[in-house]
Amino acid sequence: MAPKRHAPPIRLRRLAAELRRLRGVSGLTREDIAERTGINAATLYRIETAKVRPQRRTLVGLLDLYAVTDPQRSEILELSRTADEQGWLRPYHADLPNEYTAYISFEAEARGVRNYESLFVPGLLQTEDYSRAVIKGVWPTATTKEVDQRVQARVERQALFKKESPLELWAIVDEAALQRKVGGLNVMSEQLSRLVESAAEPYITLQVVPFGTGAHPGMPGSFVLMDFPEAVDPSVVYIDSMAGDLFLEAEEDIRRYNQIFDYLRAQALSPGDSIDLIDKVLRETC
């Protein structure tokens, strides 16, 4: 019997993804790096696929080659130091760096995303004006530049639907997200129309939990389940909280959130009835 393969911890997967990104930005091949640093190309492959954690001197050599400076350099070194631990709480930073954040990196590599939202339209389905209104509303001290960065990042994420193999999204939203007039009537009308259009795409499934459902398992808060192409990379749960971005990977957490999503899917309106409800709210909004 073949030995059981253990999934790499989420921190190690994040580290590998960031090192792949940095190499891509540098334009260097693994063979180029082997020539410049003496790091074996096969070893670099294992590092970039999260099969091993790089030794500190190896990681420092790569960061030197990629000209990575603080604060990003310190964050990557800390990520490597804790790479064998499970779970991850990533605190918010004052601004959004140009490079992908942890969530965006995982989302970009996912095969499918299951997203429940209790108060907002899912980020992957937001219009630019709705995104701007949401970010300004929940982050009242943000500068114009900070808002612009967040909005741009949200818009760029939607390019995942334009890939040759588009990201598969199953989104469930509470009716509260449809009824709240974020940004005013015009912005909300445009956003509701976007939802109707998006739901017609074969890679997007949209359901609404109506007010009439009463109490339901999603009321404690929103969450995202990300599923990946490789069996060795199990699902990851992402929870956006006031404290920061919480990533969960323990089997019991994945199982619990899978069950919650299944309950929500059963209690929500069918996709067709959901669109009828969105159309009804849209008519009332106009």
Side-chain angles (χ1 to χ4, degrees):
M1 180 181 296
K4 183 179 179 180
R5 298 176 66 192
H6 295 282
I10 191 170
R11 288 180 176 85
L12 186 58
R13 289 158 64 180
R14 171 65 183 121
L15 175 64
E18 184 62 15
L19 291 175
R20 289 196 304 272
R21 189 195 67 81
L22 288 170
R23 182 169 62 80
V25 171
S26 74
L28 299 172
T29 66
R30 292 193 182 102
E31 290 70 24
D32 292 334
I33 293 173
E35 290 180 5
R36 297 191 184 195
T37 65
I39 300 172
N40 185 277
T43 298
L44 184 58
Y45 169 80
R46 289 173 59 79
I47 291 171
E48 289 187 349
T49 54
K51 290 180 170 57
V52 297
R53 179 174 66 172
Q55 295 182 354
R56 182 179 174 84
R57 65 174 178 274
T58 299
L59 181 57
V60 168
L62 290 173
L63 297 179
D64 288 343
L65 180 61
Y66 300 146
V68 179
T69 58
D70 280 335
Q72 185 186 10
R73 184 184 185 94
S74 295
E75 291 176 359
I76 292 175
L77 290 170
E78 176 64 14
L79 187 58
S80 177
R81 187 185 69 80
T82 59
D84 293 330
E85 299 176 11
Q86 284 200 332
W88 187 12
L89 176 64
R90 180 184 175 88
Y92 281 122
H93 295 285
D95 57 7
L96 181 71
N98 290 329
E99 63 270 17
Y100 279 165
T101 61
Y103 177 80
I104 295 174
S105 293
F106 281 121
E107 185 182 67
E109 296 193 2
R111 169 181 52 82
V113 166
R114 289 170 287 163
N115 183 191
Y116 166 71
E117 291 291 344
S118 58
L119 296 174
F120 305 108
V121 169
L124 286 168
L125 301 179
Q126 291 180 6
T127 65
E128 185 171 339
D129 287 341
Y130 180 94
S131 294
R132 189 173 301 280
V134 164
I135 293 166
K136 286 182 177 180
V138 301
W139 190 12
T141 60
T143 65
T144 299
K145 178 181 178 181
E146 289 167 337
V147 172
D148 288 344
Q149 288 176 325
R150 298 286 176 119
V151 171
Q152 184 60 30
R154 198 160 294 185
V155 170
E156 289 177 357
R157 286 169 53 203
Q158 297 173 8
L160 296 173
F161 293 134
K162 299 177 182 179
K163 298 191 302 182
E164 184 176 349
S165 297
L167 177 73
E168 297 176 8
L169 172 66
W170 194 310
I172 301 177
V173 298
D174 192 283
E175 186 179 346
L178 309 179
Q179 296 286 0
R180 187 177 298 278
K181 303 302 186 287
V182 173
L185 295 181
N186 289 338
V187 170
M188 201 62 206
S189 178
E190 181 187 18
Q191 178 59 74
L192 293 172
S193 296
R194 168 72 67 84
L195 287 179
V196 174
E197 295 169 3
S198 298
E201 299 292 349
Y203 43 82
I204 295 175
T205 301
L206 178 62
Q207 291 182 268
V208 177
V209 182
F211 286 146
T213 298
H216 60 78
M219 292 180 71
S222 304
F223 63 91
V224 178
L225 276 159
M226 290 178 278
D227 304 307
F228 300 91
E230 300 296 330
V232 73
D233 290 333
S235 301
V236 169
V237 175
Y238 167 80
I239 301 171
D240 184 4
S241 73
M242 294 292 285
D245 301 0
L246 179 63
F247 294 88
L248 304 174
E249 59 181 324
E251 288 184 9
E252 58 269 28
D253 290 326
I254 303 300
R255 184 164 50 248
R256 182 170 74 257
Y257 279 92
N258 270 320
Q259 186 178 54
I260 292 172
F261 195 85
D262 286 343
Y263 276 125
L264 289 169
R265 188 168 56 185
Q267 292 182 299
L269 297 174
S270 69
D273 289 343
S274 295
I275 295 305
D276 289 342
L277 177 57
I278 295 172
D279 278 329
K280 178 175 180 292
V281 177
L282 179 57
R283 290 194 300 271
E284 295 171 350
T285 300
C286 293

